[in-house]
Amino acid sequence: MRKITYAEALSEGLVQSMERDPSIFVTGIAVDYPSGIFGTTTEAYKRFGRARVFESPAMENALTGIAIGAAAMGKRPVLAHPRNDFMFLAFDQLINMAAKWKYMFNGNAGTVPFVSRAVIGKGWGQGATHSQSLQSVLAHFPGLTVLMPTLPEDAKALTIAALQHDGPVIILEHRTLYGTEGEVSEDFVPAPIGKARVVREGTDITVVGTSLMTLEAMRASEELERQGVSVEVVDLRSIRPLDEETILKSVAKTGHLIVADTSWELCGVSSEIAALVAEKGFKSLKAPVKRIALANCPAPVSFELEQAFYPKASTIAKAALATLGVAKSDLGLIDVEDNFKGPY
């Protein structure tokens, strides 16, 4: 099978969906730039032009309201945010209108099938207001579907699925992933929403990861395998709905759990999964659950502090050895240097 990048996979899923559904249009800041949201909207603009891919001013809440109205009238808008931090300005429309639309009108006002894409994660010194990951905040509200594809294959398949879904969908894309490559089918096939993926099977410890942290877990698991530790890595893919079955099944097999998330620990995704296993899988646990998340402070700007701020593969590997009660050993150079170049 051919290999393409995460960004190319997102683009292909969008273009193929637009070919099949003329009601889909794309808007947001910089979507019609030559670099269009890290290249993910460039091909759509070339193929469909300004009639279906067009720039918008920075008016996040108003534009989200317009998108909800368009969706209610039969369109399928895709609203792209170069930073998910900008979505704070759209929360009124997202939470009080889109998420509740079907519930408030008892289904008599139709549905609002729109997709909001947003970029998360570390960059190149973007600092406190441009480096956040809002999955737990968004997933808190019933009515919103929140997806976090990690692999290029899922970036395409979940884009297709989101553009076929009846309700509002948030897709959070980590900026470090855009250049990663993977096998992606040329076929037009959606992925199941709400289903996690076991990306590596193991028997000693489970690592449940979100987005980039799943890749860090994969790097950690390769080193740990050389040291005789078998790691099962679960890529969550969907925050809401949450695939409880896959998580509990994996923990029942390994008896140990680490949750690695791209956001903070308190009231976060890692807390939710730890609570899930405590409530429904406690008898499987042979040691306390370990959560790996951001340091309890806003993201720093300086390069050195930023490097220390974010958990890495070595963070996960050390936590796995500690959870299993294995003596620390030389982990080698398993951390990958971040060479991401912005802006968008």
Side-chain angles (χ1 to χ4, degrees):
M1 188 183 296
R2 52 100 194 232
K3 286 187 176 181
I4 60 175
T5 67
Y6 186 91
E8 291 168 338
L10 285 166
S11 173
E12 189 168 280
L14 175 63
V15 169
Q16 289 185 354
S17 296
M18 294 179 76
E19 287 174 340
R20 289 163 174 78
D21 186 347
S23 71
I24 298 172
F25 68 86
V26 183
T27 188
I29 298 171
V31 296
D32 58 356
Y33 279 23
S35 59
I37 312 295
F38 302 101
T40 61
T41 57
T42 308
E43 184 63 24
Y45 178 67
K46 289 179 182 176
R47 295 282 297 275
F48 306 106
R50 291 191 184 280
R52 295 179 66 186
V53 182
F54 50 90
E55 166 93 5
S56 70
M59 43 181 255
E60 287 79 6
N61 203 40
L63 191 62
T64 303
I66 292 168
I68 292 169
M73 297 303 294
K75 296 291 186 179
R76 282 189 176 271
V78 177
L79 175 54
H81 297 280
R83 304 282 183 274
N84 85 149
D85 315 82
F86 299 170
M87 294 176 73
F88 282 124
L89 299 169
F91 267 30
D92 178 41
Q93 291 293 338
L94 274 177
I95 293 165
N96 281 326
M97 294 301 291
K100 301 178 175 72
W101 187 276
K102 188 174 181 181
Y103 177 81
M104 287 192 301
F105 300 111
N106 196 27
N108 294 320
T111 58
V112 286
F114 90 96
V115 174
S116 186
R117 293 178 45 199
V119 181
I120 65 169
K122 62 183 179 180
W124 61 111
Q126 285 291 281
T129 60
H130 290 77
S131 304
Q132 300 162 103
S133 295
L134 304 182
Q135 59 268 28
S136 64
V137 180
L138 292 161
H140 182 67
F141 294 94
L144 291 181
T145 294
V146 181
L147 307 178
M148 297 183 77
T150 303
L151 304 177
E153 178 183 1
D154 290 329
K156 175 180 176 179
L158 285 173
T159 295
I160 295 171
L163 286 167
Q164 296 177 346
H165 192 66
D166 281 339
V169 180
I170 313 295
I171 301 178
L172 299 178
E173 304 154 11
H174 200 290
R175 56 172 68 103
T176 304
L177 296 176
Y178 286 117
T180 58
E181 285 192 337
E183 293 185 344
V184 179
S185 170
E186 296 182 46
D187 297 336
F188 183 74
V189 180
I193 289 177
K195 186 66 177 174
R197 177 199 284 261
V198 178
V199 292
R200 181 189 179 95
E201 295 197 3
T203 56
D204 294 330
I205 188 167
T206 297
V207 179
V208 174
T210 60
S211 189
L212 178 65
M213 294 312 294
T214 300
L215 287 193
E216 300 289 14
M218 292 290 287
R219 294 184 184 114
S221 65
E222 291 168 5
E223 173 59 29
L224 290 170
E225 184 179 36
R226 287 189 279 273
Q227 302 193 25
V229 176
S230 175
V231 182
E232 180 147 301
V233 181
V234 177
D235 180 15
L236 211 51
R237 297 199 296 184
S238 173
I239 310 303
R240 189 183 186 107
L242 184 65
D243 184 359
E244 297 185 2
E245 181 182 2
T246 297
I247 296 167
L248 293 171
K249 183 179 178 181
S250 181
V251 174
K253 181 167 72 169
T254 66
H256 300 90
L257 174 63
I258 291 173
V259 187
D261 187 30
T262 60
S263 191
W264 292 289
E265 182 180 282
L266 185 68
C267 301
V269 171
S270 63
S271 304
E272 182 64 32
I273 295 173
L276 164 71
V277 176
E279 286 181 348
K280 300 181 180 179
F282 186 74
K283 292 181 179 178
S284 300
L285 289 173
K286 300 173 184 175
V289 176
K290 174 65 178 175
R291 291 178 287 168
I292 294 177
L294 300 183
N296 190 26
C297 64
V301 173
S302 82
F303 178 78
E304 288 76 13
L305 289 176
E306 192 178 51
Q307 293 303 303
F309 180 71
Y310 291 104
K312 306 174 181 64
S314 61
T315 315
I316 297 171
K318 291 173 184 174
L321 293 174
T323 301
L324 293 169
V326 177
K328 291 183 179 179
S329 59
D330 182 10
L331 293 171
L333 300 175
I334 64 174
D335 292 332
V336 175
E337 183 180 355
D338 185 4
N339 57 5
F340 178 85
K341 303 296 181 186
Y344 49 82

